[in-house]
């Protein structure tokens, strides 16, 4: 049903829809029939879209942080940007190419993973994962206080965990996970520049101000 605002109409009257653009009246016809073919290709596309929407929701803890800066620059939301850059990671048969998933993107210098070790902790029936990485402090944009984030995702359970970060200069991170996770788990990491200390005026550190919130590209870490 249309409503009138002054001399302008908004809404539907019969087979016409009235709307306003920049203060000017516009009108369009309502389609008699909307094509909705359920071809195999159409159905595959819809299933793929549903899959990526579901995955973006489950991985929100990681990509909300890892894609925040680049999404803000592109004037969009992290979850929308996640969907746009990861849509090709879904195969027609519904499989997900997890090593290709992108959770972060940016100019911060990433690190090289030098070793990954797992160890069973019998008392608590958990698995400890220790990841050692090269701080790469000789790079021009590798700040020793960059934060190294590790994210673990378990597809059968549909849940993930973003662990508390360690500083780049530490060179190692150890986390614990339930033992059953190790049967099917994917590990991702990225670095984030935290920005200037709150006690330091931002204007005194322009380079730090410009880098605040920047992240590195996603690092996929295969288990041994």
């Amino acid at each position: 049903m249309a409503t009138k605002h002054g001399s302008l109409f908004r809404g539907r009257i019969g087979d016409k829809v009235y709307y306003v653009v920049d203060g000017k009246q516009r009108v369009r016809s309502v389609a008699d029939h909307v094509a909705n073919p359920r071809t195999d290709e159409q159905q595959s596309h819809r299933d793929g879209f549903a899959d990526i929407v579901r995955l973006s929701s489950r991985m929100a803890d990681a990509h909300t942080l890892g894609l925040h800066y680049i999404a803000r620059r592109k004037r969009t939301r992290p979850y929308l940007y996640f969907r746009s850059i990861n849509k090709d990671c879904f195969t027609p048969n519904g499989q997900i190419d997890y090593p290709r998933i992108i959770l972060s993107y940016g100019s911060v210098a990433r690190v090289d993973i030098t070793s990954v070790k797992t160890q069973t902790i019998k008392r608590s029936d958990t698995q400890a994962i220790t990841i050692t990485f090269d701080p790469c402090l000789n790079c021009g944009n590798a700040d020793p206080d960059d934060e190294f984030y590790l994210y673990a995702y378990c597809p059968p359970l549909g849940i993930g965990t973003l662990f508390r970060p360690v500083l780049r200069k530490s060179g190692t991170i150890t986390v614990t996970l339930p033992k059953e996770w190790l049967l099917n788990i994917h590990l991702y990491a990225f670095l984030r520049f935290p920005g200037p200390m709150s006690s330091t005026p931002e204007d005194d550190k322009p380079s730090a101000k410009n880098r605040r919130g920047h992240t590195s590209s996603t690092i996929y870490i295969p288990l041994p």
Side-chain angles (χ1 to χ4, degrees):
M1 179 179 178
T3 58
K4 187 176 182 181
H5 302 271
S7 61
L8 303 175
F9 289 91
R10 298 174 187 269
R12 178 172 176 173
I13 301 178
D15 63 347
K16 299 291 190 295
V17 175
Y18 294 81
Y19 57 102
V20 178
V21 177
D22 295 331
K24 296 181 180 181
Q25 185 73 69
R26 296 285 188 271
V27 61
R28 64 176 176 82
S29 297
V30 178
D32 293 334
H33 175 71
V34 178
N36 188 30
R38 297 182 64 85
T39 63
D40 291 343
E41 186 176 353
Q42 279 274 18
Q43 199 60 39
S44 176
H45 176 76
R46 290 171 184 170
D47 292 343
F49 180 75
D51 288 340
I52 195 170
V53 169
R54 188 180 303 112
L55 189 64
S56 70
S57 176
R58 292 174 175 176
M59 291 185 162
D61 287 350
H63 68 65
T64 296
L65 185 67
L67 297 176
H68 171 76
Y69 178 78
I70 187 66
R72 185 177 63 183
R73 282 189 59 192
K74 292 182 176 294
R75 299 184 179 181
T76 185
R77 301 286 186 180
Y79 71 92
L80 293 176
Y81 191 66
F82 173 90
R83 295 174 190 176
S84 68
I85 61 178
N86 287 298
K87 59 185 178 182
D88 294 332
C89 296
F90 293 78
T91 61
N93 60 356
Q95 299 299 311
I96 302 176
D97 189 357
Y98 283 101
R100 293 177 56 198
I101 292 292
I102 299 173
L103 295 175
S104 63
Y105 183 82
S107 59
V108 171
R110 54 176 286 172
V111 298
D112 292 324
I113 305 300
T114 57
S115 68
V116 180
K117 298 179 180 179
T118 62
Q119 180 182 5
T120 301
I121 305 175
K122 295 182 179 179
R123 287 179 299 176
S124 57
D125 198 30
T126 59
Q127 198 88 352
I129 303 175
T130 299
I131 298 171
T132 304
F133 53 88
D134 179 5
C136 194
L137 298 181
N138 58 332
C139 294
N141 58 344
D143 191 290
D145 291 329
D146 287 342
E147 298 169 328
F148 181 92
Y149 283 87
L150 180 66
Y151 178 71
Y153 181 72
C154 183
L157 300 178
I159 55 177
T161 298
L162 182 66
F163 296 97
R164 186 174 180 177
V166 299
L167 297 181
R168 176 193 287 269
K169 60 188 175 185
S170 69
T172 185
I173 183 173
T174 299
V175 299
T176 57
L177 286 168
K179 191 174 181 180
E180 59 269 20
W181 275 46
L182 273 291
L183 298 176
N184 193 333
I185 187 176
H186 298 278
L187 297 177
Y188 305 87
F190 60 88
L191 289 101
R192 177 178 179 270
F193 181 70
M197 299 296 290
S198 58
S199 60
T200 305
E202 290 186 349
D203 292 341
D204 292 348
K205 285 191 173 183
S207 61
K209 178 182 178 181
N210 292 337
R211 291 184 59 212
R212 185 173 63 178
H214 283 221
T215 55
S216 70
S217 56
T218 304
I219 305 166
Y220 181 76
I221 306 173
L223 283 174

